[in-house]
Amino acid sequence: MEKTILIFGGSGFVGSNIAFLAQKLGHKVFISDKTKKEKLNHFNFVSCDITKLETIATIIGQIMPDIVVNTAAIADIDFAEKEKEVAMRINFESAVAIAEVCYVHQIKYIFFSSDAVFDGNKSEYFETDIPSPVNFYGQTKALAEKRINVIYPQSVIVRISLVLGLPLDGGNSFVADLKNKLQNRVNIYAPTDIIRTPIDVKTLSSAVIELGSSDFSGIIHIGGLGKINRYELTRRLAKALGFEENKVLPTNSGEPDSSKARRHKNGCLNVQKAGLVLKTKMLSMDSVINNSISY
Ligand SMILES: NC(=O)c1ccc[n+]([C@@H]2O[C@H](COP(=O)([O-])OP(=O)(O)OC[C@H]3O[C@@H](n4cnc5c(N)ncnc54)[C@H](OP(=O)(O)O)[C@@H]3O)[C@@H](O)[C@H]2O)c1
């Protein structure tokens, strides 16, 4: 059945990909962001700075969507560490304010969180594991999860480890950044001790749209079926993109320099629950990589 979906942060990497698939599936989509991007002209656009909390209520009240997806965030971990006040306002306060408005109107709310809520010392993390973030970005997400769960427990909290794929118009895409560096013949260093369970943005978008129409509430991990370290992943992506793997060199995450936030080493999300709840299938690493290099 056709739904009306409002996506905060809808012109970012993940948000715009969800908008693209939702529109293709026949849903009525509104994307909201601070600034309108040219390549996203075919979507209904609503300008909103989510730090202006009163605007959130106005926009949701005007559109009255069936589903609100919140992908808006300070997603840059190092920036969040430096600009703590800004990160807290967007990743925590605004995310909670959106939940409050959704609760008032009983609108399905899907909030985007991260494996960064965990310290990375366990071999894998389940939805029931207690958050213990090692950096400020992870703290903002963990606090938002906790508060959203209190004020509107019917919300859906989607935790992801690393999203691969191409952006529709800019945003935080690792694959686009890698392709750009490879095209410019820059040597790329990738750590062997940072392990993730990446998911391609197409599968993630499908899962999110499915969750929006389901009765599911609570935390759900979305990720690929395999674990991989960043070095191996970057090599495989380079090869899939048609470049030489040896442009990717191994490194170790080591101790962060003062300009960088601490990283959790093992951000592996167990996705058994997604396998039980969703018709959208979580994929093998080969399929995740293949899905990530084209639109
Ligand atoms: N990509 C990943 O690998 C990954 C992994 C784990 C979790 N996540 C989470 O997944 C979600 C989506 O990430 P993404 O990769 O799509 O990030 P992204 O490309 O940086 O998109 C975030 C969007 O939020 C917008 N935004 C920031 N501040 C805003 C404000 N004050 N008002 C309105 N919009 C604002 C940004 O707009 P501007 O660009 O104009 O500031 C941007 O369009 C985030 O919650 C992120 O923390 C992502």
Side-chain angles (χ1 to χ4, degrees), residues 9 11-15 33-35 48-51 71-73 75 90 112-114 137 141 160-163 171-172:
S11 49
F13 166 47
V14 173
D33 222 303
K34 279 179 296 182
T35 44
C48 176
D49 177 346
I50 58 168
T51 59
T71 57
I90 294 167
F112 266 74
S113 188
S114 164
Y137 167 79
K141 291 288 187 183
I160 42 180
S161 170
L162 171 65
V163 188
N172 172 37

Side-chain angles (χ1 to χ4, degrees), residues 5-293:
I5 307 176
L6 168 62
I7 307 173
F8 287 106
S11 49
F13 166 47
V14 173
S16 59
N17 271 282
I18 296 170
F20 177 78
L21 182 62
Q23 194 153 289
K24 201 167 133 189
L25 293 173
H27 299 294
K28 187 168 187 186
V29 178
F30 291 84
I31 61 171
S32 178
D33 222 303
K34 279 179 296 182
T35 44
K36 193 171 182 173
K37 288 186 176 167
E38 221 172 273
K39 288 187 197 158
L40 305 177
N41 265 340
H42 51 295
F43 295 111
N44 300 305
F45 179 81
V46 190
S47 171
C48 176
D49 177 346
I50 58 168
T51 59
K52 301 194 168 44
L53 302 185
E54 64 290 350
T55 324
I56 293 170
T58 309
I59 285 170
I60 294 179
Q62 278 166 359
I63 297 173
M64 284 304 285
D66 302 298
I67 305 161
V68 167
V69 179
N70 179 17
T71 57
I74 298 297
D76 180 330
I77 295 181
D78 297 319
F79 183 82
E81 199 73 23
K82 273 184 256 156
E83 300 291 337
K84 291 191 169 65
E85 215 176 291
V86 181
M88 186 58 98
R89 213 175 304 140
I90 294 167
N91 295 1
F92 172 70
E93 285 169 27
S94 302
V96 168
I98 296 172
E100 281 166 350
V101 180
C102 288
Y103 169 72
V104 169
H105 297 292
Q106 289 296 293
I107 293 168
K108 186 102 187 178
Y109 180 41
I110 302 181
F111 170 66
F112 266 74
S113 188
S114 164
D115 62 319
V117 299
F118 296 121
D119 59 15
N121 294 330
K122 276 184 68 180
S123 60
E124 64 176 347
Y125 289 91
F126 290 81
E127 284 84 351
T128 45
D129 282 313
I130 308 293
S132 52
V134 299
N135 54 44
F136 194 75
Y137 167 79
Q139 282 177 38
T140 62
K141 291 288 187 183
L143 283 171
E145 286 186 359
K146 202 171 170 185
R147 189 78 195 123
I148 289 166
N149 187 42
V150 170
I151 58 174
Y152 191 20
Q154 288 74 28
S155 302
V156 177
I157 293 171
V158 172
R159 284 198 195 123
I160 42 180
S161 170
L162 171 65
V163 188
L164 303 179
L166 298 172
L168 298 193
D169 193 355
N172 172 37
S173 162
F174 171 62
V175 174
D177 190 43
L178 173 66
K179 195 173 172 186
N180 188 35
K181 284 182 180 150
L182 288 164
Q183 276 165 344
N184 288 303
R185 297 168 190 278
V186 177
N187 277 339
I188 293 145
Y189 292 89
T192 53
D193 59 342
I194 298 281
I195 305 164
R196 298 290 182 259
T197 44
I199 186 72
D200 62 281
V201 77
K202 293 174 192 165
T203 305
L204 173 63
S205 300
S206 168
V208 168
I209 295 163
E210 190 186 337
L211 285 165
S213 300
S214 80
D215 291 334
F216 179 85
S217 62
I219 300 172
I220 187 161
H221 290 174
I222 304 290
L225 294 172
K227 300 174 183 181
I228 191 164
N229 72 56
R230 296 283 305 226
Y231 168 64
E232 199 52 45
L233 174 66
T234 311
R235 278 173 69 89
R236 284 179 67 174
L237 279 168
K239 189 174 175 199
L241 287 163
F243 295 90
E244 287 171 32
E245 290 160 284
N246 62 13
K247 288 283 162 206
V248 181
L249 305 166
T251 182
N252 193 293
S253 65
E255 282 307 303
D257 62 49
S258 56
S259 66
K260 296 234 173 210
R262 229 181 117 194
R263 294 310 198 260
H264 56 297
K265 290 208 170 163
N266 191 350
C268 297
L269 299 176
N270 179 291
V271 293
Q272 271 171 19
K273 190 172 177 179
L276 295 172
V277 168
L278 295 171
K279 289 197 196 88
T280 304
K281 292 286 161 245
M282 300 298 105
L283 302 178
S284 68
M285 193 63 63
D286 280 344
S287 303
V288 167
I289 289 173
N290 280 339
N291 271 353
S292 300
I293 55 169

